[in-house]
Amino acid sequence: MTENTQPPATTGPHSAATELPTQYAPAEVEGPLYERWVERGYFEADAASDKPPYTIVIPPPNVTGTLHLGHAFQHTLMDALTRRKRMQGYEALWLPGMDHAGIATQNKVEQQLADEGKSRHDLGREEFVERVWKWKQEYGGRILGQMRRLGDGVDWSRERFTMDEGLSRAVLTIFKRLFDDGLIYRAERIINWCPRCLTAISDIEVDYQEDAGELVSIRYGEGDDSIVVATTRAETMLGDTAVAVHPEDERYAHLIGKRIKLPLTDRTIPVVADSHVDPEFGTGAVKVTPAHDPNDFAIGQRHDLPSLSVMDERGVITVHGPFEGLDRFEARSAIVAALREQGRIVAEKRPYLHSVGHCSRCKTTVEPRLSMQWWVKVEPLAKAAGDAVRDGRVAIHPPELAKRYFDWVDNMHDWCISRQLWWGHRIPVWYGPDGETVCVGPDEQPPAGEGWTQDQDVLDTWFSSGLWPFSTLGWPENTKDLEKFYPTDVLLTGHDIIFFWVARMMMFGLYAMDGKEPFHTIALTGLVRDEHGKKMSKSNPNSVDPLDWMDAYGADAVRFTLARGANPGADVPIGEDWVQASRNFANKIWNATRFALINGATVEGPLPDAAELSATDRWILSRLNTVVAEADAAYDGYEFAKASDLLFHFAWDEVFDWYVELSKTVFAAGGRPAEVSQRVLGEVLDVTLKLLHPVMPFVTEELWTTLTDGESLVITTWPQDSGYRDEAAEAELATVRKLVTEVRRFRADQGLQPGQRVPATLDLSGTGLAAHEEAVRQLLRLTPAGDGFAATASLPVAGAVVALDLSGAIDFAAERKRLTKDLGLAEKELKQATAKLGNEGFLAKAPAEVVEKIKARKATAEADIDRLTTQLANLPG
RNA sequence: GGGUGCAUAGCUCAGCGGUAGAGCGCCGCCCUUACAAGGCGGAUGUCGGCGGUUCGAACCCGUCUGCACCCACCA
């Protein structure tokens, strides 16, 4: 196909134009462009600048992570925001970094150790942590390279990691402050425990799903003093310390206060009355296991019941007796079997669907467990976090999602922040030989002397990421960065992470920064889904690697597709078809610019006066300014889909399909000065490329730097609506478009081929276009009505009258029928063959010559051509 | 159990009080020298059902049905 893309001879300053290939090749363009941007320091923000700041901190991806479509989506939007603000004259900072991701990273390294037949305990704490750092060095942060590939305009000189020295200092500082303020405390409570990760996890790290269990009803006690309870976790009965019934439940009134025998043990337990019990549910009696169930724990507190732990940290039964050493699930069946043998199982229901908590990291069934942990007292912090949104200091986009935020911050339980891991920020508390507890601040030495030990636990990963908006800027030091760039402007992230991260940044930001909120706007995005709206996840087969798509179609195509799907708060379905469509758009822009360059479009000098402009010019400039205003409004409202769609249609439908096509008649006119059109076309492209740059940075940069003498779009000035409008020109062009479209439709209906010239008379007296008769004739492919002209049809449209001679029209249906018969092909076959080759129209002419012509042009249709050639050769005569 | 959102063309979705839209797909014609990753033309919808408000409803209100998602102490 390259043999017929010979560049036309070139003249003038834009000979580079013709060096542009006919197709956009992202792979060749994107890498070098990104390197150039970084080398020139375009993304490095200057804290000493006079420009107003615009700051976004990236939601730090896990150090273990790779770029998935969700990142690609959010990064595209954040990049678009910062790129646009930079062009608008802000000192724009998009700050990158990564999260140390406690459990995830520790799991990765433990897996590595397991492959070597070792556990972390074989190494010991210090060596293990060293090993994790080594792992990070070697395998961590792959996502950073992938972000470059996407085109993320982040300030690499400010890259941060949550375990950096500076950020660790921030963690210690705030821990100490919270501790001293009494907002951090240690307490024994029921927590969610993962028996595989061997650590506590917070409520939001638990994923609930419907599991099929078995609900058994067990008779406790004997005779009249017996009571039936139901459970799905029979093994916990070993730790029962009471049975609870509703205080007003008459069925059990006689039992309240009595003790009954607990089966399989030699213990007796009391029957207590507690209004938490729902008399309607089951038998209306509940077994109470304070050490293994949060509700039961609460009942235990109210009735002063002992808590009996029956399992160790791995979920293995520790109670002496026949079940000791059994895993919790083995113990469950064993205990049910034993009870059944004693005739104590009075009813079973299996499968019984109920929701069961799983560790969000490893999917292991969570075991509620009584344990000593560190907690943040969130009430005062959460109140402030709620108020900041309530009184409008922080806006949530889209506003509907604010309710979700309030639901959370207004009903937040205390936050369990200690994790029984080695990888993370170690809790800065030391215990003395006589039970003293000392919290050690960042500049303090741990207490000296014998017998002092540091707490073994580390902090929840979200504790350090909650400090991200200011710890990354140097807090607790009073740095220039902090002064310039805090508070940040927009926090853009998925709505699924409101509780994990957003609310915590709000709490910590307001607390640490003296009530100064960490950002003004929370922009919440939906989740990326596949083309049928199904959730994409790493474990799903529908999951797509955005890198594959970037390789195949370019980063801009992926970005544009994502931006175009980004309706505020709504999920984004994405399929390969749409990425292809975006790729096509990039290619379209490429070729339109190529056309402009070949025809000498220029951005030099001022725009010609309105008096010099044609109606077409005035129309497109009027539209251009309208689009600038509309695009601005959409970008400002985080309506990326609207902005993208608007620009897509303006560029393709109006600029490329009409303005450029209409310009051709000017450029082809010959002799007539084309400077005005060259300048206007240059202007329109210049502005359109700028408007698209935030979402399609690569192709726009490549084209713009070719079209203009500018250094880079990244640092150029964002277009402004000049206020220029011309309604008369818009109306006139509407007439032209209507006229042309109607005539084309008529021609198609009559069987005239698109390029076929038809003799016709044209009366434009009713349209105001009389002066442009020649141009209109060209558009409509009308030739002058010569001698002997006989109109066979007359078409009144848009105030004009067109009379045509249709004698040259082809009856396509009849042609097809004839060919089908002649070639001995089934009609369907013919269609398939001709679809790639061309069509019946020209096959009707000279077959040999036609096939020749096609062969030269269509390498991809080789097979079909061969077959058709054979068919044609075998035709008799 | 509580809450939120959604039901519009074959698919995925915009539109949110005034003549039904986009992308992809589909049909027909075409290489007209920027682009076949293209051009031109075309078809397709009782805007989930039923009521109501209005001169006028895909859009507002009520209700029903179906589907998503979020939250919660489902023994």
Side-chain angles (χ1 to χ4, degrees):
Chain A
M1 60 146 45
T2 44
E3 65 270 8
N4 64 335
T5 54
Q6 198 118 16
T10 57
T11 52
H14 291 298
S15 53
T18 52
E19 285 159 22
L20 293 180
T22 56
Q23 287 191 357
Y24 172 48
E28 290 162 28
V29 169
E30 293 174 347
L33 276 183
Y34 192 83
E35 290 313 311
R36 192 197 297 169
W37 291 333
V38 171
E39 273 166 29
R40 294 186 181 170
Y42 290 160
F43 303 139
E44 284 179 35
D46 178 7
S49 158
D50 292 336
K51 298 175 178 176
Y54 183 81
T55 316
I56 294 181
V57 291
I58 208 165
N62 287 355
V63 62
T64 53
T66 54
L67 190 87
H68 57 66
L69 271 170
H71 294 121
F73 175 46
Q74 292 170 15
H75 288 201
T76 295
L77 304 188
M78 282 184 270
D79 196 32
L81 288 173
T82 41
R83 281 177 185 271
R84 174 162 168 269
K85 287 291 177 182
R86 188 176 292 115
M87 291 169 79
Q88 286 181 326
Y90 288 80
E91 192 62 34
L93 168 61
W94 185 17
L95 190 148
M98 290 188 294
D99 194 285
H100 68 278
I103 299 183
T105 312
Q106 175 155 336
N107 282 351
K108 268 256 169 23
V109 177
E110 287 194 287
Q111 189 54 52
Q112 213 179 43
L113 287 174
D115 293 345
E116 301 166 15
K118 291 191 242 171
S119 85
R120 68 179 149 123
H121 300 283
D122 295 330
L123 301 190
R125 183 164 191 148
E126 212 166 304
E127 202 180 321
F128 177 78
V129 170
E130 244 169 67
R131 177 80 183 238
V132 179
W133 279 105
K134 210 177 119 207
W135 179 91
K136 182 199 176 237
Q137 197 79 9
E138 225 168 306
Y139 305 101
R142 278 178 54 204
I143 193 169
L144 299 177
Q146 297 167 331
M147 285 163 58
R148 295 169 177 265
R149 183 84 184 71
L150 228 206
D152 284 1
V154 295
D155 184 347
W156 292 110
S157 73
R158 286 181 168 84
E159 184 192 332
R160 295 288 184 268
F161 181 55
T162 49
M163 287 284 282
D164 278 351
E165 207 182 321
L167 274 65
S168 299
R169 190 178 167 79
V171 168
L172 289 182
T173 305
I174 198 155
F175 188 98
K176 172 80 173 162
R177 193 184 290 184
L178 286 163
F179 184 90
D180 290 346
D181 283 352
L183 294 174
I184 281 185
Y185 64 94
R186 199 169 184 233
E188 188 172 47
R189 297 232 183 109
I190 292 273
I191 44 88
N192 303 295
W193 180 264
C194 175
R196 201 215 62 84
C197 300
L198 300 180
T199 179
I201 55 180
S202 71
D203 289 349
I204 46 179
E205 287 168 301
V206 178
D207 295 334
Y208 286 90
Q209 71 185 57
E210 291 275 296
D211 278 4
E214 178 180 6
L215 183 71
V216 292
S217 298
I218 310 168
R219 179 177 302 279
Y220 283 12
E222 308 294 342
D224 286 346
D225 287 354
S226 78
I227 192 163
V228 175
V229 298
T231 183
T232 53
R233 293 161 66 216
E235 71 280 9
T236 62
M237 69 155 293
L238 297 175
D240 284 0
T241 53
V243 168
V245 298
H246 192 89
E248 281 148 37
D249 195 330
E250 290 173 8
R251 292 171 294 179
Y252 304 118
H254 67 287
L255 286 173
I256 294 173
K258 283 194 176 166
R259 295 188 76 88
I260 57 173
K261 171 87 179 9
L262 183 64
L264 304 180
T265 71
D266 44 21
R267 294 191 289 119
T268 60
I269 55 176
V271 176
V272 300
D274 194 287
S275 53
H276 162 77
V277 179
D278 175 7
E280 306 291 316
F281 188 95
T283 58
V286 189
K287 61 191 273 308
V288 181
T289 324
H292 291 282
D293 184 279
N295 291 319
D296 294 4
F297 183 75
I299 294 175
Q301 298 267 291
R302 286 194 285 271
H303 300 275
D304 208 17
L305 300 170
S307 295
L308 255 183
S309 283
V310 302
M311 300 171 217
D312 66 10
E313 71 277 5
R314 292 173 193 278
V316 173
I317 302 295
T318 53
V319 178
H320 290 305
F323 308 108
E324 186 176 4
L326 290 181
D327 168 79
R328 55 189 164 148
F329 299 117
E330 295 166 358
R332 185 173 301 172
S333 357
I335 284 172
V336 171
L339 289 167
R340 185 176 294 121
E341 217 165 274
Q342 294 188 3
R344 290 195 172 269
I345 302 289
V346 297
E348 301 171 71
K349 195 172 173 189
R350 62 197 302 191
Y352 176 72
L353 278 184
H354 61 139
S355 101
V356 176
H358 300 263
C359 171
S360 63
R361 288 289 167 200
C362 72
K363 305 304 164 205
T364 302
T365 301
V366 162
E367 193 63 39
R369 185 160 184 257
L370 188 62
S371 124
M372 182 67 88
Q373 302 288 343
W374 285 96
W375 304 82
V376 170
K377 188 176 175 195
V378 297
E379 200 252 312
L381 301 170
K383 169 96 171 49
D387 288 345
V389 174
R390 252 184 288 271
D391 58 30
R393 280 176 290 147
V394 178
I396 292 183
H397 276 275
E400 303 90 84
L401 286 173
K403 195 177 177 338
R404 285 253 285 273
Y405 174 83
F406 292 133
D407 281 349
W408 172 258
V409 295
D410 295 344
N411 301 295
M412 202 170 173
H413 298 295
D414 281 0
W415 171 18
C416 175
I417 51 169
S418 44
R419 294 297 121 94
Q420 288 63 50
L421 304 172
W422 286 352
W423 176 241
H425 300 281
R426 192 157 171 186
I427 288 176
V429 172
W430 292 71
Y431 305 108
D434 303 316
E436 309 98 312
T437 300
V438 175
C439 178
V440 180
D443 292 315
E444 299 164 8
Q445 290 301 313
E450 282 293 301
W452 286 86
T453 52
Q454 186 173 3
D455 194 291
Q456 295 297 306
D457 293 349
V458 301
L459 289 165
D460 179 9
T461 290
W462 298 99
F463 191 92
S464 52
S465 29
L467 312 177
W468 191 249
F470 48 98
S471 65
T472 53
L473 294 171
W475 188 90
E477 301 330 310
N478 195 12
T479 61
K480 288 211 154 60
D481 270 9
L482 194 63
E483 198 175 316
K484 177 81 179 174
F485 298 110
Y486 190 92
T488 71
D489 288 88
V490 179
L491 189 278
L492 187 147
T493 191
H495 64 64
D496 57 332
I497 211 168
I498 296 176
F499 313 135
F500 279 106
W501 193 45
V502 179
R504 276 148 188 188
M505 280 189 292
M506 288 289 287
M507 296 195 304
F508 282 167
L510 293 163
Y511 176 75
M513 302 300 291
D514 301 319
K516 233 196 270 172
E517 58 283 352
F519 24 74
H520 302 134
T521 300
I522 300 168
L524 295 167
T525 69
L527 277 21
V528 178
R529 294 171 181 273
D530 72 10
E531 67 257 59
H532 301 297
K534 292 271 180 295
K535 206 170 185 169
M536 285 213 208
S537 70
K538 280 166 229 161
S539 50
N540 273 2
N542 65 356
S543 193
V544 172
D545 185 346
L547 275 302
D548 291 344
W549 279 350
M550 284 195 256
D551 287 343
Y553 306 110
D556 283 339
V558 174
R559 293 172 60 120
F560 190 74
T561 306
L562 289 165
R564 205 176 174 189
N567 288 113
D571 289 346
V572 184
I574 184 170
E576 191 158 357
D577 283 358
W578 301 316
V579 184
Q580 281 172 9
S582 300
R583 182 271 314 267
N584 295 352
F585 180 49
N587 193 55
K588 186 73 182 177
I589 303 169
W590 180 268
N591 275 292
T593 307
R594 194 165 159 265
F595 168 85
L597 289 164
I598 289 168
N599 287 288
T602 175
V603 296
E604 310 290 320
L607 280 176
D609 289 340
E612 291 180 60
L613 298 173
S614 69
T616 316
D617 296 328
R618 282 180 277 120
W619 159 69
I620 201 68
L621 290 175
S622 178
R623 287 289 303 138
L624 180 68
N625 280 290
T626 305
V627 165
V628 170
E630 289 174 354
D632 263 331
Y635 276 127
D636 282 338
Y638 306 97
E639 295 178 295
F640 297 94
K642 204 176 202 175
S644 307
D645 201 58
L646 169 74
L647 293 170
F648 175 90
H649 285 291
F650 173 68
W652 202 318
D653 299 350
E654 301 190 73
V655 180
F656 304 155
D657 282 351
W658 284 99
Y659 184 71
V660 167
E661 291 306 316
L662 292 170
S663 304
K664 282 179 180 173
T665 61
V666 176
F667 293 129
R672 192 181 151 191
E675 288 83 38
V676 171
S677 287
Q678 287 173 331
R679 182 66 190 87
V680 173
L681 180 54
E683 176 73 11
V684 171
L685 279 177
D686 178 30
V687 172
T688 305
L689 290 172
K690 283 174 180 167
L691 294 174
L692 281 167
H693 182 255
V695 281
M696 304 184 95
F698 292 111
V699 69
T700 51
E701 172 81 337
E702 181 70 7
L703 292 172
W704 190 80
T705 50
T706 308
L707 178 73
T708 75
D709 293 332
E711 182 184 325
S712 169
L713 269 180
V714 179
I715 51 161
T716 197
T717 307
W718 185 252
Q720 282 201 311
D721 174 12
S722 70
Y724 178 84
R725 297 290 188 281
D726 189 331
E727 284 171 26
E730 292 196 23
E732 192 170 330
L733 263 292
T735 305
V736 172
R737 291 169 63 167
K738 180 160 192 221
L739 173 63
V740 172
T741 304
E742 294 278 324
V743 173
R744 278 175 182 160
R745 180 186 307 150
F746 181 74
R747 289 179 50 121
D749 289 348
Q750 296 303 315
L752 293 169
Q753 294 179 43
Q756 195 175 347
R757 311 265 157 183
V758 183
T761 60
L762 178 62
D763 176 5
L764 293 174
S765 54
T767 60
L769 300 171
H772 308 295
E773 179 170 342
E774 258 322 296
V776 174
R777 274 184 174 277
Q778 272 193 45
L779 284 169
L780 300 178
R781 314 245 174 245
L782 304 178
T783 57
D787 294 340
F789 171 78
T792 53
S794 177
L795 177 68
V797 51
V801 180
V802 188
L804 311 96
D805 174 3
L806 296 173
S807 55
I810 296 169
D811 182 341
F812 295 121
E815 278 302 319
R816 181 163 51 238
K817 209 166 222 174
R818 190 182 69 74
L819 267 170
T820 307
K821 200 176 163 204
D822 286 357
L823 297 174
L825 292 171
E827 184 147 353
K828 199 171 177 185
E829 265 184 308
L830 177 75
K831 265 194 166 178
Q832 284 172 348
T834 56
K836 287 187 178 171
L837 294 177
N839 56 65
E840 300 90 315
F842 64 78
L843 279 176
K845 296 170 197 168
E849 183 191 316
V850 169
V851 173
E852 196 63 35
K853 194 172 159 191
I854 298 162
K855 254 189 172 171
R857 287 182 169 160
K858 283 291 209 177
T860 53
E862 214 72 67
D864 287 341
I865 291 166
D866 287 349
R867 195 167 59 102
L868 203 61
T869 310
T870 313
Q871 301 270 10
L872 290 166
N874 291 344
L875 279 180

